[in-house]
Amino acid sequence: MDKNNLVHNNSLNSRKYFQGINRKRNILITIFSVAFILVILTTVSILYFVLKTDSNSDDFKFENLISRDEWNAAPPKSGIPFLESPIKRIIIAHTAGEFCDNENECKFVVKRIQNENSHLDDIPYNFLIGNDGKVYEGRGFEKEGQHTSNLYGSNYNSIDFIILSQDSLVFNNIKSDALNEAVSKLKNFYPLQKVYRREEWGAANPKEAHTKFSQKKEIALLSHSVTQTCSSFSHCATIMKNIQRNHMGNNGWIDFAFNFAVGANGLIFECRGFDFVGAHFSALNSRSIGILAIGEFNEDEPSQEMLDTLEKFLEDAAKLGKLSEDFKIHGRQDFGSSGPGENIMKHIREWCRYGNRTTPC
Ligand SMILES: *[C@@H]1O[C@H](CO)[C@@H](O)[C@H](O)[C@H]1NC(C)=O
């Protein structure tokens, strides 16, 4: 009996003992389960917020921006180069003809501009803006445009805004006073010197492909044409075409020998431009930009406007990386040849950029 009692007591004790263990285990399991659920909930909510923020930034939309889809853009051709980030410059130009007043009209005009440029990789501009105040997405922020490539070259790290406007003038010299005033008030506005591009003055195409510059362009080398001088666009353009015929016909060169030309009135004409080596001075072609002053400047007087535009144009070029930052200006006569005439040289000698200055500037 005692033994039985003992056994009974023992089994009672051990049941209590096991019940104790079970209770502890249940509590632990509950704690772990709750913790586990909490961890899952926290993870899920963190993930949710991360994804939500992410998709929010994807959804970011500029006010008044009409996307390519919205104006029914055709897809771009492949291989358009990407722009370096951050973008350093914004070029503002205008269509000088196309104009629109409301969203439907503007979508139509933008689509037409894309169609008319089907020989290019895409619509040439990064963005367009209409008189309706809306911005139409062209190539956008990431891809290089094809807007000023003839003049300053394509590796230009800029995006462009094209204003859809009727005013008759080209490039960044906008004729409308109101538009000019508005643009000039933009923060960091920097007006570029206007240059007449080859197609504007009616240049013939080069006979062969040009050679790209591979050295630093340290010199702006001035010559004169020893022809009539000119003070209107049409007269300058006629002389330019004659000079080009002479260079390509009589002299048998592949193109106009110089990189740029300038009229006595200060009109600047693109010839080979900034990217291609000229044929104006054999010892210096590969590291200089050759500039032809139209006229005979031992006789003719350059206008102050001509000197000012030339100077500004060269400074612009240096700012845009198309000339070395520390470039010098020379006349051919500094290197034992002749030109660009004493009436130009007497002014150039006073410039800080003049390469043969005897006194520091
Ligand atoms: C002018 O400077 C260039 C480049 O430094 C030099 O080659 C040339 O001989 C100089 N000409 C004169 C006339 O001093």
Side-chain angles (χ1 to χ4, degrees):
M1 191 66 188
D2 270 350
K3 202 182 169 191
N4 274 345
N5 264 349
L6 193 66
V7 169
H8 182 73
N9 274 349
N10 272 351
S11 68
L12 257 183
N13 280 344
S14 64
R15 194 157 55 217
K16 268 187 198 150
Y17 173 75
F18 282 115
Q19 273 175 355
I21 285 187
N22 269 343
R23 201 175 305 124
K24 271 188 198 151
R25 199 173 62 187
N26 284 343
I27 289 170
L28 275 180
I29 287 173
T30 314
I31 288 175
F32 277 122
S33 312
V34 169
F36 183 71
I37 288 166
L38 276 179
V39 167
I40 296 273
L41 278 179
T42 319
T43 316
V44 167
S45 36
I46 287 174
L47 273 178
Y48 173 76
F49 280 111
V50 166
L51 289 178
K52 192 167 178 255
T53 325
D54 242 26
S55 64
N56 263 356
S57 66
D58 278 346
D59 286 350
F60 177 80
K61 205 171 178 308
F62 286 100
E63 227 177 292
N64 288 328
L65 181 74
I66 308 294
S67 71
R68 291 177 68 98
D69 285 347
E70 286 172 276
W71 61 264
N72 195 23
K77 292 178 198 160
S78 60
I80 301 177
F82 282 88
L83 288 164
E84 264 172 55
S85 185
I87 291 155
K88 290 191 196 136
R89 300 181 187 90
I90 294 169
I91 311 288
I92 296 177
H94 67 155
T95 49
E98 300 276 15
F99 179 77
C100 58
D101 249 339
N102 63 61
E103 193 176 319
N104 279 340
E105 213 184 321
C106 289
K107 282 176 173 170
F108 183 77
V109 166
V110 171
K111 177 78 183 158
R112 186 168 62 211
I113 292 174
Q114 188 185 37
N115 290 342
E116 281 166 359
N117 286 287
S118 58
H119 58 290
L120 301 177
D121 297 335
D122 194 358
I123 192 166
Y125 316 117
N126 297 83
F127 293 96
L128 304 95
I129 184 164
N131 209 36
D132 59 343
K134 299 214 166 104
V135 174
Y136 295 79
E137 182 186 29
R139 297 189 182 194
F141 282 110
E142 291 181 355
K143 290 191 185 158
E144 204 169 88
Q146 274 169 299
H147 44 105
T148 36
S149 57
N150 281 340
L151 182 54
Y152 289 110
S154 51
N155 187 16
Y156 189 50
N157 200 22
S158 70
I159 62 166
D160 56 331
F161 260 95
I162 298 298
I163 296 169
L164 297 161
S165 94
Q166 252 165 352
D167 301 299
S168 57
L169 217 117
V170 280
F171 206 49
N172 37 38
N173 190 355
I174 299 166
K175 206 162 206 173
S176 154
D177 287 342
L179 213 51
N180 248 341
E181 201 187 326
V183 170
S184 66
K185 280 183 185 151
L186 293 174
K187 207 176 155 211
N188 295 333
F189 175 63
Y190 182 82
L192 287 175
Q193 181 56 51
K194 171 161 175 60
V195 174
Y196 287 96
R197 287 168 296 163
R198 292 177 71 107
E199 57 271 29
E200 290 178 83
W201 62 264
N205 289 329
K207 284 194 264 188
E208 288 168 33
H210 286 301
T211 309
K212 280 210 159 202
F213 276 104
S214 56
Q215 293 184 50
K216 275 174 77 178
K217 290 162 267 179
E218 308 161 309
I219 296 173
L221 188 61
L222 305 187
S223 309
H224 60 162
S225 61
V226 196
T227 61
Q228 277 188 316
T229 188
C230 59
S231 55
S232 72
F233 169 74
S234 61
H235 190 201
C236 289
T238 305
I239 297 176
M240 287 293 289
K241 282 183 268 197
N242 285 337
I243 296 173
Q244 190 186 27
R245 261 195 296 276
N246 195 31
H247 285 181
M248 293 175 77
N250 295 349
N251 297 3
W253 297 331
I254 60 168
D255 193 5
F256 205 109
F258 291 82
N259 298 88
F260 291 95
V262 57
N265 49 358
L267 299 186
I268 294 180
F269 296 85
E270 178 195 32
C271 305
R272 296 195 186 192
F274 285 117
D275 289 344
F276 301 113
V277 174
H280 51 97
F281 201 100
S282 54
L284 295 172
N285 286 330
S286 58
R287 55 191 181 95
S288 70
I289 290 288
I291 293 172
L292 182 69
I294 306 168
E296 207 292 321
F297 291 95
N298 291 305
E299 303 278 326
D300 300 320
E301 283 290 340
S303 62
Q304 189 57 44
E305 205 181 357
M306 175 186 179
L307 297 165
D308 291 348
T309 37
L310 182 61
E311 193 175 14
K312 165 143 174 58
F313 173 60
L314 295 174
E315 293 302 332
D316 285 355
K319 271 204 171 72
L320 296 169
K322 291 293 165 187
L323 271 173
S324 291
E325 239 174 293
D326 57 352
F327 80 93
K328 298 288 181 226
I329 296 172
H330 280 284
R332 284 165 75 93
Q333 65 177 59
D334 296 337
F335 299 94
S337 181
S338 65
E342 187 51 29
N343 293 339
I344 288 183
M345 282 310 294
K346 69 184 180 203
H347 295 284
I348 302 299
R349 283 193 200 101
E350 304 300 317
W351 291 4
C352 289
R353 292 279 193 180
Y354 180 55
N356 291 79
R357 281 188 70 90
T358 45
T359 50
C361 210

Coordinates of all heavy atoms in Angstrom, one line a residue, residues 30 69 73 126 141-142 153 245 248 359:
T30 N 4.1 30.3 -28.0 CA 3.3 31.5 -28.2 C 4.1 32.7 -28.5 O 4.0 33.5 -29.4 CB 2.3 31.8 -27.0 OG1 1.8 30.5 -26.7 CG2 1.2 32.8 -27.4
D69 N 4.3 59.3 -75.6 CA 3.1 58.5 -75.8 C 1.9 59.3 -76.1 O 1.1 59.0 -77.0 CB 2.7 57.6 -74.6 CG 3.7 56.4 -74.5 OD1 4.4 56.2 -75.5 OD2 3.7 55.8 -73.5
A73 N 4.4 59.6 -80.5 CA 5.7 59.6 -81.1 C 6.0 58.2 -81.7 O 5.6 57.2 -81.2 CB 6.7 59.9 -80.1
N126 N 15.3 67.9 -77.6 CA 15.1 67.2 -76.3 C 13.7 67.5 -75.8 O 13.0 66.6 -75.3 CB 16.1 67.6 -75.3 CG 17.5 67.1 -75.7 OD1 18.2 67.8 -76.5 ND2 17.9 66.0 -75.3
F141 N 15.6 63.9 -71.2 CA 16.8 64.3 -70.5 C 18.1 63.5 -70.8 O 19.2 63.9 -70.5 CB 16.6 64.4 -69.0 CG 15.8 65.5 -68.6 CD1 14.5 65.4 -68.1 CD2 16.3 66.8 -68.6 CE1 13.7 66.5 -67.7 CE2 15.6 67.9 -68.2 CZ 14.3 67.8 -67.7
E142 N 17.9 62.3 -71.2 CA 19.0 61.3 -71.2 C 19.7 61.2 -72.5 O 20.9 60.8 -72.5 CB 18.5 60.0 -70.7 CG 18.1 60.0 -69.3 CD 17.7 58.7 -68.8 OE1 17.5 57.7 -69.5 OE2 17.4 58.6 -67.5
G153 N 29.4 70.8 -82.8 CA 29.7 69.4 -82.7 C 28.7 68.7 -81.8 O 27.9 69.4 -81.2
R245 N 34.2 77.9 -104.4 CA 34.4 77.3 -105.8 C 35.8 77.4 -106.1 O 36.4 76.5 -106.7 CB 33.6 78.2 -106.8 CG 32.2 77.5 -107.2 CD 31.7 78.1 -108.4 NE 31.3 79.5 -108.2 CZ 30.1 79.9 -107.7 NH1 29.2 79.0 -107.3 NH2 29.9 81.2 -107.5
M248 N 37.8 74.7 -104.1 CA 37.5 73.3 -104.5 C 37.8 73.1 -106.0 O 38.2 72.0 -106.4 CB 36.1 73.0 -104.2 CG 35.8 73.0 -102.7 SD 34.0 72.7 -102.3 CE 33.8 70.9 -102.6
T359 N 53.8 93.0 -74.0 CA 53.5 93.4 -72.6 C 52.4 92.5 -72.0 O 51.5 92.1 -72.7 CB 53.0 94.9 -72.5 OG1 51.9 95.0 -73.5 CG2 54.1 95.8 -72.9

